[in-house]
Amino acid sequence: MATMTQAQGTPRITAGERAGIPPRRMDFEFPEETTKYWYGDSAFLTTFWVTLSALFPEGETFFVDSVKNYRKDIKDQKLKDEVSGFIGQEALHSKEHEAFNDMAEKHGLPALKLDKELGVLFRLIRKYVPKKMQLALTVALEHYTAIIAEQLLREDFHQEMFRDREALKLWMWHALEENEHKTVAFDVYEQVGGGYLTRVSTMLIGTLVFAVVVVSGHLRLLKADGQLTNWKANWRGLKFLWGWKGLFPRLGRQYFDFYRPGFHPSDHDTEALLESWRQRMLNDGGLLAEQTYSKSRKA
Ligand SMILES: [Fe+2]
Ligand SMILES: [Fe+2]
């Protein structure tokens, strides 16, 4: 849990580690020979995940900034520590997804362009949208990342779909940490007086904008890949995402839970799930054990 200062050899515990939200440096490497269709051998599904990845660097920078706007107003020491952990984790997620997006570019997928365009949208939001609503947007989008991440961790078939070990490590590491810090933006929002109506109305607007951004980005990646008119394969992919037992319909109950007055992200209990994944990934021989981060940062 603790890191060691070089001079004295004494343990130094960072605020994020103290809060159970330890930023873990990974340094993943994605060489050009990484399997191109690394999710289920499917162009449609791989480009779906690449679309999400393309949105992370600008998206998570916005999340961090919207929380930083209120950092000075947080009185509670525990929440202050959690915010430090949240900022550290999100910064490292952006860094690793940039490396992942560079690999997608090498495969001919314009991920950097999508990220740049999202940056323009977020610059407008920073300029014209009230700060409280910016924070509410982060709360809403963090709910999305938390529930998608929970499904990645909880449902084993996702791991079986990965065709590239480094990609598997990236997405599972990110999924773990999204759930470790899923309450932080929400708690900051409540502590600085954020209300129910702003929270749910921002979620509604955020859902619409998120849908347009993701669907249009996905279509553009498919087009760039020459797969847009591969109807049969795309139909199969669409059913995987939106079919009766598809990825999104299975998120429905958790998504709509957000609209309940009194909802809190910790209502979706992921403690045992996260503990089992921490052991599975960080212990000796685990999925992430070979990474270059300090092994002392296990929890
Ligand atoms: Fe993240
Ligand atoms: Fe997050």
Side-chain angles (χ1 to χ4, degrees):
M1 180 143 185
T3 52
M4 304 289 275
T5 57
Q6 284 178 326
Q8 299 119 341
T10 50
R12 182 177 64 82
I13 298 174
T14 66
E17 287 169 333
R18 201 162 50 225
I21 303 175
R24 305 177 181 90
R25 191 183 175 87
M26 287 293 141
D27 298 324
F28 294 118
E29 286 176 14
F30 300 103
E32 203 165 339
E33 51 275 15
T34 302
T35 309
K36 184 174 178 183
Y37 298 136
W38 51 266
Y39 190 91
D41 302 310
S42 161
F44 185 93
L45 295 176
T46 300
T47 48
F48 165 72
W49 293 110
V50 171
T51 304
L52 295 188
S53 177
L55 305 178
F56 281 136
E58 284 290 349
E60 299 197 309
T61 303
F62 174 83
F63 297 171
V64 165
D65 289 346
S66 69
V67 169
K68 274 185 178 169
N69 286 336
Y70 288 96
R71 206 173 186 183
K72 61 182 183 326
D73 301 320
I74 303 167
K75 305 285 178 252
D76 177 56
Q77 186 57 46
K78 183 170 173 282
L79 188 54
K80 279 185 186 184
D81 289 349
E82 289 176 351
V83 165
S84 294
F86 166 79
I87 291 171
Q89 287 193 339
E90 294 293 38
L92 291 170
H93 297 170
S94 290
K95 171 186 166 292
E96 295 306 322
H97 277 276
E98 276 167 16
F100 190 74
N101 296 342
D102 285 344
M103 180 268 289
E105 284 279 334
K106 286 178 195 148
H107 287 162
L109 304 172
L112 302 183
K113 199 156 183 252
L114 295 193
D115 193 39
K116 236 180 170 169
E117 288 172 8
L118 187 71
V120 174
L121 177 62
F122 276 130
R123 266 195 294 285
L124 291 173
I125 291 174
R126 281 182 179 97
K127 199 167 173 190
Y128 295 109
V129 174
K131 288 196 166 50
K132 190 63 71 62
M133 210 166 177
Q134 292 183 37
L135 182 58
L137 182 59
T138 293
V139 171
L141 294 175
E142 278 283 278
H143 182 62
Y144 266 110
T145 57
I147 62 177
I148 293 173
E150 184 182 340
Q151 189 183 108
L152 277 179
L153 295 171
R154 210 177 276 289
E155 301 191 6
D156 285 345
F157 79 90
H158 279 297
Q159 296 139 58
E160 288 154 22
M161 296 290 272
F162 278 79
R163 302 290 181 261
D164 181 85
R165 185 172 161 82
E166 203 75 351
L168 175 68
K169 290 195 284 191
L170 167 74
W171 286 90
M172 292 304 157
W173 161 73
H174 195 168
L176 171 78
E177 295 193 351
E178 282 307 313
N179 275 277
E180 284 180 334
H181 71 232
K182 70 180 176 181
T183 60
V184 179
F186 192 99
D187 288 344
V188 172
Y189 178 75
E190 292 219 310
Q191 195 158 115
V192 299
Y196 172 74
L197 279 180
T198 303
R199 172 166 74 80
V200 295
S201 56
T202 306
M203 176 53 118
L204 271 177
I205 299 165
T207 298
L208 287 174
V209 175
F210 181 64
V212 170
V213 168
V214 171
V215 170
S216 63
H218 189 191
L219 290 174
R220 284 165 64 191
L221 292 194
L222 275 174
K223 186 164 184 278
D225 197 32
Q227 299 289 332
L228 194 56
T229 52
N230 192 347
W231 305 116
K232 214 169 155 188
N234 291 346
W235 178 245
R236 269 202 308 273
L238 205 59
K239 277 198 295 187
F240 181 91
L241 296 182
W242 283 104
W244 179 239
K245 289 188 174 169
L247 184 149
F248 284 109
R250 273 180 293 120
L251 293 175
R253 191 186 55 77
Q254 286 175 299
Y255 167 74
F256 285 110
D257 211 17
F258 187 88
Y259 292 89
R260 180 168 51 80
F263 165 79
H264 187 267
S266 62
D267 295 344
H268 300 159
D269 185 2
T270 46
E271 273 313 306
L273 178 71
L274 296 188
E275 189 44 41
S276 81
W277 270 98
R278 274 190 287 263
Q279 289 185 18
R280 201 163 156 183
M281 287 203 277
L282 303 169
N283 285 353
D284 288 340
L287 192 61
L288 297 175
E290 62 211 49
Q291 295 311 122
T292 54
Y293 69 97
S294 161
K295 283 197 174 180
S296 63
R297 294 187 172 223
K298 280 183 180 174

